[in-house]
């Protein structure tokens, strides 16, 4: 059955996710991008106050390099627990083409408390000139199974339409619990081109029962996340995906991007979901 969430648009609470840091650009791109655990946590606190109910976490070393170091992830989680109220914590399993399968999921399984959710890159993607993240079906099955055992909600990252059948495969194999949670990603290198028609096409092919959010990189973030709000979906914003507030103006903080999203949602009559409401919507205890 195709997705039908826009039929109850005015009754659907909007989940705002924020991706504060990412694994690519750093302070050389925007000095306001947070990197150290306490810096990230302070930023997340402001994002939660602005309306975000989920934070997507990447860890970096002190010199800004991406890392899967368990102590670093634990330090970020501990700092978020200290600074924030109840925001849902979402760890990445990204890093294909750099880290092993085991290294990528280790922070999800070996930090305490475990994150509320974690990403699963559902299919292959190219990065730059030489790196390819393969993300085979076997790995997806393994990650989904391990996350269920750990009590962590999978967030399926859909980079192009060919990844939707891979999502359906996990459903058919009874490896996902409804409602399914996925992110539609537009504007990446070998992903779906950032165009309104393409977002609609992705949404129309999603299986029910699903809750979905959209993200778009760079200058596409604002128009396509606004479109996602009008379609009854949810949104992800933040400096992992876009370092600018407007053309030629760097974002002052991730919270600045969250506040703008919340203002737009208010104008479009979409109420903002609290972390407690987001947990209920996504079936997270």
């Amino acid at each position: 059955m195709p997705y039908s969430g826009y039929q109850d648009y005015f009754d659907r609470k909007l989940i705002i996710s924020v991706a504060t840091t990412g694994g690519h650009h750093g302070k050389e791109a925007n000095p306001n991008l947070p990197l150290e655990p306490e810096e990230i946590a302070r930023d997340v606190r402001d994002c939660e106050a602005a309306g975000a109910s989920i934070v997507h976490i990447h860890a970096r070393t002190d010199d800004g390099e991406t890392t899967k170091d368990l102590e670093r992830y634990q330090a970020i989680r501990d700092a978020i627990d200290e600074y924030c109220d109840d925001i849902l914590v979402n760890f990445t399993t990204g890093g294909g083409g750099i880290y092993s399968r085991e290294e990528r999921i280790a922070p999800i399984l070996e930090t305490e408390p475990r994150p509320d959710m974690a990403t699963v890159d559902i299919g292959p993607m190219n990065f730059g000139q030489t790196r390819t993240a393969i993300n085979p079906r076997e790995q997806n099955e393994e990650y989904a199974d391990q996350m269920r055992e750990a009590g962590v909600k999978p967030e399926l990252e859909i980079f192009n339409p060919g990844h939707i059948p891979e999502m359906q495969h996990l459903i058919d194999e009874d490896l996902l619990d409804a409602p399914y949670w996925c992110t539609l990603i537009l504007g990446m290198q070998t992903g779906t081109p950032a165009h309104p028609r393409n977002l609609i096409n992705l949404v129309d092919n999603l299986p029910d029962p699903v809750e979905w959010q959209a993200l778009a990189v760079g200058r596409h973030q604002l128009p396509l996340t606004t479109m996602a709000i009008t379609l009854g979906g949810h949104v992800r914003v933040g400096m992992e995906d876009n370092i600018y507030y407007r053309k030629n103006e760097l974002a002052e903080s991730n919270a600045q991007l969250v506040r703008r999203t919340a203002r737009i949602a208010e104008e479009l009559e979409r109420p903002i979901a609290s972390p407690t409401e987001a947990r209920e919507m996504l079936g997270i205890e």
Side-chain angles (χ1 to χ4, degrees):
M1 178 180 178
Y3 171 77
S4 57
Y6 43 78
Q7 294 176 356
D8 58 351
Y9 167 88
F10 292 106
D11 298 323
R12 293 178 63 77
K13 294 286 182 80
L14 173 69
I15 296 172
I16 301 176
S17 296
V18 60
T20 61
T21 304
H24 298 285
H25 52 264
K27 289 185 179 292
E28 79 287 346
N30 184 331
N32 300 316
L33 187 147
L35 291 178
E36 297 180 356
E38 193 164 326
E39 184 185 19
I40 291 171
R42 290 195 301 266
D43 193 26
V44 174
R45 174 193 59 195
D46 295 340
C47 290
E48 184 179 27
S53 54
I54 298 172
V55 58
H56 176 63
I57 296 297
H58 286 252
R60 303 284 193 94
T61 63
D62 287 336
D63 60 6
E65 296 298 318
T66 184
T67 181
K68 292 295 181 183
D69 179 72
L70 296 178
E71 290 186 4
R72 195 68 166 188
Y73 273 91
Q74 188 67 64
I76 295 171
R77 178 60 196 262
D78 291 346
I80 290 173
D81 287 346
E82 177 182 353
Y83 278 86
C84 301
D85 292 329
D86 192 35
I87 195 165
L88 281 78
V89 176
N90 175 5
F91 280 179
T92 182
T93 63
I98 301 175
Y99 301 102
S100 70
R101 182 183 302 187
E102 293 75 21
E103 287 173 314
R104 290 169 63 184
I105 199 169
I108 285 81
L109 303 179
E110 299 184 33
T111 53
E112 291 292 343
R114 288 170 174 161
D116 300 286
M117 54 181 63
T119 59
V120 179
D121 295 346
I122 207 70
M125 274 290 295
N126 287 348
F127 296 90
Q129 295 296 105
T130 60
R131 177 184 161 204
T132 298
I134 303 299
N135 302 316
R137 176 175 284 189
E138 178 188 50
Q139 175 182 287
N140 297 336
E141 292 176 348
E142 180 181 304
Y143 280 7
D145 186 56
Q146 290 177 305
M147 288 180 191
R148 174 182 276 170
E149 182 68 21
V152 175
K153 180 82 173 182
E155 176 195 310
L156 307 182
E157 294 198 326
I158 307 294
F159 290 92
N160 62 54
H163 293 173
I164 294 177
E166 292 299 298
M167 176 181 177
Q168 185 64 56
H169 170 76
L170 295 178
I171 295 169
D172 293 342
E173 293 298 310
D174 193 30
L175 290 167
L176 300 177
D177 296 323
Y180 318 120
W181 175 236
C182 69
T183 302
L184 307 178
I185 301 168
L186 296 97
M188 294 289 286
Q189 184 172 331
T190 51
T192 303
H195 192 284
R197 285 194 299 266
N198 293 333
L199 176 58
I200 291 173
N201 179 63
L202 290 171
V203 172
D204 282 346
N205 282 280
L206 289 175
D208 259 346
V210 66
E211 295 287 351
W212 61 273
Q213 64 179 0
L215 75 85
V217 300
R219 63 191 177 93
H220 304 292
Q221 183 177 84
L222 178 59
L224 288 180
T225 54
T226 301
M227 182 176 174
I229 296 172
T230 67
L231 290 174
H234 310 287
V235 299
R236 181 177 119 176
V237 297
M239 282 193 270
E240 173 176 348
D241 310 320
N242 168 41
I243 60 171
Y244 291 96
Y245 186 71
R246 57 174 59 92
K247 186 176 180 180
N248 298 325
E249 181 183 324
L250 292 172
E252 297 175 359
S253 66
N254 284 290
Q256 184 188 31
L257 298 171
V258 174
R259 285 193 293 269
R260 178 168 65 184
T261 300
R263 290 197 304 272
I264 292 169
E266 181 179 4
E267 291 293 334
L268 294 172
E269 300 188 54
R270 283 288 303 277
I272 306 299
S274 68
T276 298
E277 290 168 329
R279 290 177 191 274
E280 182 178 351
M281 293 168 69
L282 299 178
I284 297 173
E285 296 182 359

